[in-house]
Amino acid sequence: MAAKNKKEQQTEIKPIEAEIMSEETLGINDPEIIEAEVIEIEEQGDNHPNFIESNTQAITLAELTENNIIPTFSDNSLTISHQNFIGAVTTMAEKVFGELTPVECRVSHPIIGRVPSAQYKKASELTDDEKTVFYQRMAFVCHVKDLTRSINGQTVHLCVGGVRAYNEDKLYNRISPMKFKVFVGWQVRVCSNLMLTCDGNSGTIECLTEADIMQKAFELFENFNPNKENTLRLLENLHTTVLTEEQFCKIVGRLRLYQFLPLSEQRQLPAFNIGDQAVNAMVKGYVSNPNFGKKEGEDITCWNLLQLATEATKAAYIDRFIDRNQSCVDFSIGIQKALNGEDTEGYNWFLS
């Protein structure tokens, strides 16, 4: 019953006071999207893994809208709220890809305050309507309903999402462009691991209005082809390259060493700094992960390595996990090339 109520709360929130952009302004002319293989989507239960965990908590769009204040710049100019950011991105995603599932949100770093009339009260005496809060960091994701695939025996959904972190904005100054990240890519059904490639990650975009967000999100989505065979083949072919336990251990050791190399040496190697906590999570997953860990009598593959790495990035902070997630894809493909004698970027170092 609780799960049902939670689902009902996830009502669609459209951009508030957004600058409406016409299809002529955006250059949308009914883009033709080639439908991928359609696989029936199962309902996600309460125990379904989150796309990011770390120190985050779940929140509904309704709660973001009704219970959270919206911070301003020092000149009292309004910032773009989390819910309006979500609305701008999902509006463009629906135009390009079609119907979306309800949005899943995760927030962290709450900034807690109180109304002026309660300034002399003890914290224990405050009522709910006397407390104020906004979350410094927020990430969201939702699926495109009719775009699913099967890769290496796993159902994957096409998903879109975004990241916002107020700590990256200069709220202490006059109004200035605000920073956002938007992404589109494949998500593994069984564990919610994201697999993001460079053409599905906007990087940091700077926007002053919701119209700016809509324009840049549309450009990203329009240029991302969900049926691009090169991308899908790269991900699927990772399963064909075997990784022995000895090779996995070398990678783990090199990842630990990499973190302490002088910057001059790090710059000569492919960038992949995920920290000890993530490396430990990869090792634990290698031993105990029921879907991608080592099974008796079998070696893992570069596909397993990718999933163990992307599972580990769920422990990253909201403002870092998207770039680290894309890095996991690049790293796994690079290790495959090194194993196949095709490395030109220095990934052999992680196996030596």
Side-chain angles (χ1 to χ4, degrees):
M1 182 62 71
K4 181 178 179 182
N5 292 337
K6 181 178 177 182
K7 182 177 179 182
E8 290 175 353
Q9 290 177 0
Q10 292 180 329
T11 55
E12 182 180 6
I13 304 296
K14 291 296 184 181
I16 301 172
E17 300 178 355
E19 178 183 342
I20 304 302
M21 302 180 69
S22 65
E23 293 188 353
E24 289 75 20
T25 302
L26 290 170
I28 302 174
N29 292 312
D30 297 324
E32 294 182 2
I33 302 297
I34 302 174
E35 293 187 357
E37 177 187 357
V38 177
I39 300 174
E40 185 176 352
I41 300 177
E42 300 174 4
E43 288 294 322
Q44 297 180 359
D46 289 340
N47 295 324
H48 192 273
N50 300 305
F51 66 99
I52 181 174
E53 295 167 352
S54 190
N55 63 336
T56 63
Q57 67 183 72
I59 193 171
T60 66
L61 288 177
E63 289 172 330
L64 272 178
T65 304
E66 297 168 5
N67 302 332
N68 286 208
I69 63 172
I70 302 174
T72 64
F73 290 95
S74 63
D75 60 358
N76 211 30
S77 299
L78 197 63
T79 62
I80 298 174
S81 66
H82 290 330
Q83 62 268 24
N84 285 14
F85 168 50
I86 294 171
V89 173
T90 54
T91 295
M92 291 299 98
E94 286 182 332
K95 284 184 178 294
V96 176
F97 299 121
E99 188 177 0
L100 305 176
T101 62
V103 169
E104 179 187 354
C105 293
R106 309 288 298 182
V107 291
S108 70
H109 296 77
I111 308 299
I112 301 171
R114 59 175 70 189
V115 297
S117 60
Q119 60 181 313
Y120 298 114
K121 281 190 174 184
K122 294 181 179 179
S124 59
E125 297 173 348
L126 291 173
T127 61
D128 289 342
D129 59 354
E130 291 174 331
K131 300 175 184 177
T132 63
V133 65
F134 73 88
Y135 291 92
Q136 189 185 73
R137 307 177 193 186
M138 184 277 303
F140 77 93
V141 70
C142 56
H143 299 151
V144 179
K145 281 192 173 180
D146 294 332
L147 283 172
T148 60
R149 286 274 185 159
S150 179
I151 300 180
N152 297 328
Q154 296 290 343
T155 300
V156 297
H157 304 294
L158 185 70
C159 69
V160 298
V163 169
R164 171 69 180 290
Y166 279 119
N167 61 297
E168 296 182 343
D169 298 329
K170 299 177 181 179
L171 300 183
Y172 55 83
N173 210 335
R174 291 179 176 272
I175 186 170
S176 60
M178 291 156 273
K179 297 180 180 180
F180 305 87
K181 294 177 182 178
V182 182
F183 62 86
V184 54
W186 298 101
Q187 185 182 55
V188 182
R189 166 67 180 85
V190 72
C191 57
S192 288
N193 287 354
L194 294 173
M195 298 182 293
L196 302 179
T197 51
C198 59
D199 59 341
N201 182 3
S202 70
T204 300
I205 57 176
E206 296 189 354
C207 305
L208 273 171
T209 67
E210 290 171 52
D212 294 337
I213 297 173
M214 295 168 78
Q215 176 66 47
K216 293 181 179 181
F218 172 75
E219 291 172 358
L220 176 70
F221 298 152
E222 187 185 46
N223 293 326
F224 181 86
N225 183 355
N227 295 302
K228 186 177 179 181
E229 288 302 322
N230 287 344
T231 300
L232 295 172
R233 191 176 297 114
L234 275 175
L235 294 174
E236 192 165 27
N237 284 350
L238 289 172
H239 193 62
T240 64
T241 303
V242 172
L243 192 67
T244 66
E245 186 168 287
E246 180 181 359
Q247 290 167 334
F248 179 79
C249 291
K250 284 184 178 180
I251 291 173
V252 168
R254 286 295 192 177
L255 286 175
R256 294 191 187 282
L257 175 61
Y258 178 89
Q259 301 167 51
F260 301 100
L261 291 177
L263 287 178
S264 58
E265 293 186 37
Q266 285 190 13
R267 293 192 186 101
Q268 298 175 21
L269 298 169
F272 188 60
N273 188 0
I274 62 173
D276 272 346
Q277 184 178 1
V279 173
N280 290 340
M282 289 177 63
V283 175
K284 181 179 179 181
Y286 177 81
V287 175
S288 60
N289 189 296
N291 299 300
F292 306 109
K294 184 178 183 297
K295 296 178 174 61
E296 186 175 355
E298 299 180 12
D299 289 318
I300 64 170
T301 66
C302 287
W303 167 259
N304 300 75
L305 177 67
L306 168 60
Q307 299 309 323
L308 294 176
T310 51
E311 182 77 19
T313 61
K314 293 177 182 178
Y317 281 141
I318 282 177
D319 54 343
R320 300 176 185 175
F321 91 102
I322 288 300
D323 293 335
R324 290 187 178 185
N325 198 282
Q326 181 194 326
S327 181
C328 290
V329 176
D330 296 339
F331 182 77
S332 301
I333 293 173
I335 291 296
Q336 182 187 45
K337 289 180 179 179
L339 290 170
N340 293 334
E342 303 169 357
D343 177 47
T344 59
E345 302 174 45
Y347 285 97
N348 275 318
W349 181 84
F350 291 94
L351 291 164
S352 60

